[in-house]
Amino acid sequence: MKVFIIGGTGFIGYHATLEFLKREHEVSTIAIPDIKLGKWFPSKVSVQYGDIFSMEQERMVEMLSGFDALVYAIGPDDRTTPDRPPYEFFHEKLALTTQKVFQAANLAKIKRAVILNSYFAYFDRKYPKKKLAIHHPYIQCRIEQAEYAIEAGGEQIDTMILELPYIFGTMPESARAPLWKSVFIDRFKNWNIIFFPKGGSTMITVEHVAEAIVDAMENGKKNQHYVIGDENITWKEMLTIMFSTYGKKKKVISLPKWIFLIVGKIRKWKMKRKEIYEGLDSYYLFSDILTDNFYIELSDQKERLQYSTGGVRESIVKTIETCRRFD
């Protein structure tokens, strides 16, 4: 297949590019020029630069014409704090932009497409009583992203939705600092003791995400949602591995849920006072997500994608070793 990856120089897009090439597909991509591409990036991949969020649809159709398949691997994640009401921001950046791209892909006669989405959409279906989409604008817009893409693709495009959990891995030559540096290392490196909820999450390596992307493109079923993962790991174990690798061993203490409900209320009040918007509501983040085990059950899937599993702990170590080089 001739595959076009939107975001092919990014963390996941880069590894997907390698996997497509490994399976002898032809790959082209568009990305923003935020890093210098060295010898580490495959020379056989055609790279163009541009901003999908501001691109006219006519230009998109021209860009996608002649390709068989599309991977959509861009968009803000749940860490983003927009400068405007969060639903408005995420709806535009996730749902509406994806809709415009898939309308263009339809006109360009793309046959198959994979969208990188979030495992929060899976948990919204699995735990309706949590009302995740109602409480969190980011989750609502991830659900809308999939719906809009499927609708825009119509009968022309077989669209597969990959719902991704926590992802670990690195890029070569320290091209990008792993996101975990700002999320966990920088936040907790000066703490002697880390107090954290008792929950945990499904986690996966970026290499296995890449395998799942390619398998979904080759064998996925039209309009199917695929939630993927390698292993279920508690926050305590994850943080222990992280800081042991970082060289600052810390005691991680899991506190009961009621304490973090108070923490969530205080954080939400502070964010509102500072007029900082969040895609994940602070209070409900602690009450419904971080204090629970967000573990996927592969048996819930109608059909499992073919990708390797395991090695998450080793990938966490490698990720944090790379984080140290960005200090």
Side-chain angles (χ1 to χ4, degrees), residues 22 61 84 130 132 141 201 211 215 223 254 259 271 315:
K22 179 181 175 182
V61 175
R84 51 188 161 122
K130 285 182 178 287
L132 295 174
C141 293
S201 174
E211 291 177 9
D215 190 62
N223 301 344
S254 300
I259 292 178
M271 298 293 273
S315 189

Side-chain angles (χ1 to χ4, degrees), residues 4-18 27-38 40-42 45-50 71 73-74 170-172 174-177:
F4 194 92
I5 301 179
I6 297 179
T9 67
F11 175 50
I12 301 175
Y14 164 71
H15 285 278
T17 296
L18 297 184
V27 180
S28 296
T29 186
I30 186 169
I32 56 174
D34 59 339
I35 59 171
K36 184 178 180 180
L37 299 184
W40 56 271
F41 195 83
V45 176
S46 174
V47 180
Q48 56 182 294
Y49 295 104
V71 176
I74 63 169
T170 64
M171 293 185 71
S174 302
R176 298 178 191 274

Side-chain angles (χ1 to χ4, degrees), residues 220-284:
K221 299 300 177 64
K222 183 180 178 69
N223 301 344
Q224 180 68 53
H225 295 248
Y226 294 99
V227 60
I228 65 173
D230 280 342
E231 300 179 51
N232 296 322
I233 299 177
T234 65
W235 304 130
K236 183 173 183 178
E237 182 180 6
M238 180 194 73
L239 289 166
T240 299
I241 295 170
M242 282 183 168
F243 283 97
S244 294
T245 303
Y246 191 68
K248 294 187 177 182
K249 290 186 178 181
K250 300 176 185 296
K251 189 170 185 178
V252 181
I253 297 179
S254 300
L255 297 179
K257 182 173 182 175
W258 67 266
I259 292 178
F260 287 100
L261 297 184
I262 297 173
V263 172
K265 284 184 177 180
I266 294 172
R267 176 178 165 81
K268 184 173 180 177
W269 174 76
K270 287 183 177 179
M271 298 293 273
K272 184 176 181 180
R273 201 174 170 196
K274 294 178 181 178
E275 296 185 343
I276 298 175
Y277 298 106
E278 298 180 289
L280 297 179
D281 181 282
S282 286
Y283 174 74
Y284 291 106

Side-chain angles (χ1 to χ4, degrees), residues 20-21 54 57 73 150 155 172 232 234 284 295:
F20 275 114
L21 293 175
S54 61
Q57 194 171 76
I150 289 171
E155 293 301 317
N232 296 322
T234 65
Y284 291 106
Y295 297 157

Side-chain angles (χ1 to χ4, degrees), residues 68-266:
D68 306 304
L70 169 68
V71 176
Y72 192 84
I74 63 169
D77 64 22
D78 56 88
R79 296 168 298 141
T80 304
T81 53
D83 56 0
R84 51 188 161 122
Y87 176 77
E88 177 186 321
F89 172 83
F90 286 107
H91 181 69
E92 175 190 334
K93 298 295 184 181
L94 292 175
L96 294 182
T97 301
T98 302
Q99 180 185 52
K100 185 168 68 171
V101 170
F102 273 71
Q103 288 171 343
N106 198 322
L107 293 171
K109 307 300 182 184
I110 292 286
K111 299 179 182 66
R112 295 179 68 78
V114 172
I115 297 179
L116 306 190
N117 200 268
S118 170
Y119 78 156
F120 286 132
Y122 161 79
F123 287 113
D124 184 67
R125 298 191 301 272
K126 185 174 178 62
Y127 302 122
K129 290 183 178 180
K130 285 182 178 287
K131 300 180 180 179
L132 295 174
I134 294 174
H135 294 150
H136 305 284
Y138 172 77
I139 298 177
Q140 180 179 356
C141 293
R142 278 298 188 185
I143 294 168
E144 290 175 352
Q145 179 188 37
E147 293 173 346
Y148 284 25
I150 289 171
E151 182 180 3
E155 293 301 317
Q156 168 69 30
I157 304 175
D158 291 346
T159 300
M160 284 65 69
I161 315 298
L162 257 63
E163 296 170 336
L164 308 178
Y166 277 42
I167 304 169
F168 290 93
T170 64
M171 293 185 71
E173 299 184 13
S174 302
R176 298 178 191 274
L179 64 86
W180 304 114
K181 184 177 188 302
S182 60
V183 174
F184 288 116
I185 298 301
D186 291 346
R187 183 173 299 176
F188 296 125
K189 65 182 179 182
N190 295 322
W191 293 28
N192 292 322
I193 300 175
I194 299 175
F195 299 101
F196 214 77
K198 291 184 178 180
S201 174
T202 297
M203 303 178 192
I204 193 170
T205 71
V206 69
E207 293 85 0
H208 298 163
V209 173
E211 291 177 9
I213 290 170
V214 179
D215 190 62
M217 191 67 81
E218 293 177 339
N219 304 304
K221 299 300 177 64
K222 183 180 178 69
N223 301 344
Q224 180 68 53
H225 295 248
Y226 294 99
V227 60
I228 65 173
D230 280 342
E231 300 179 51
N232 296 322
I233 299 177
T234 65
W235 304 130
K236 183 173 183 178
E237 182 180 6
M238 180 194 73
L239 289 166
T240 299
I241 295 170
M242 282 183 168
F243 283 97
S244 294
T245 303
Y246 191 68
K248 294 187 177 182
K249 290 186 178 181
K250 300 176 185 296
K251 189 170 185 178
V252 181
I253 297 179
S254 300
L255 297 179
K257 182 173 182 175
W258 67 266
I259 292 178
F260 287 100
L261 297 184
I262 297 173
V263 172
K265 284 184 177 180
I266 294 172

Side-chain angles (χ1 to χ4, degrees), residues 257-318:
K257 182 173 182 175
W258 67 266
I259 292 178
F260 287 100
L261 297 184
I262 297 173
V263 172
K265 284 184 177 180
I266 294 172
R267 176 178 165 81
K268 184 173 180 177
W269 174 76
K270 287 183 177 179
M271 298 293 273
K272 184 176 181 180
R273 201 174 170 196
K274 294 178 181 178
E275 296 185 343
I276 298 175
Y277 298 106
E278 298 180 289
L280 297 179
D281 181 282
S282 286
Y283 174 74
Y284 291 106
L285 174 64
F286 283 103
S287 68
D288 295 337
I289 298 177
L290 292 179
T291 51
D292 200 351
N293 290 326
F294 265 46
Y295 297 157
I296 70 170
E297 296 180 24
L298 295 179
S299 60
D300 284 357
Q301 300 180 83
K302 294 180 181 178
E303 180 180 338
R304 190 182 185 282
L305 294 176
Q306 298 301 307
Y307 57 91
S308 306
T309 57
V312 173
R313 291 165 182 80
E314 293 81 1
S315 189
I316 294 174
V317 169
K318 183 179 177 181

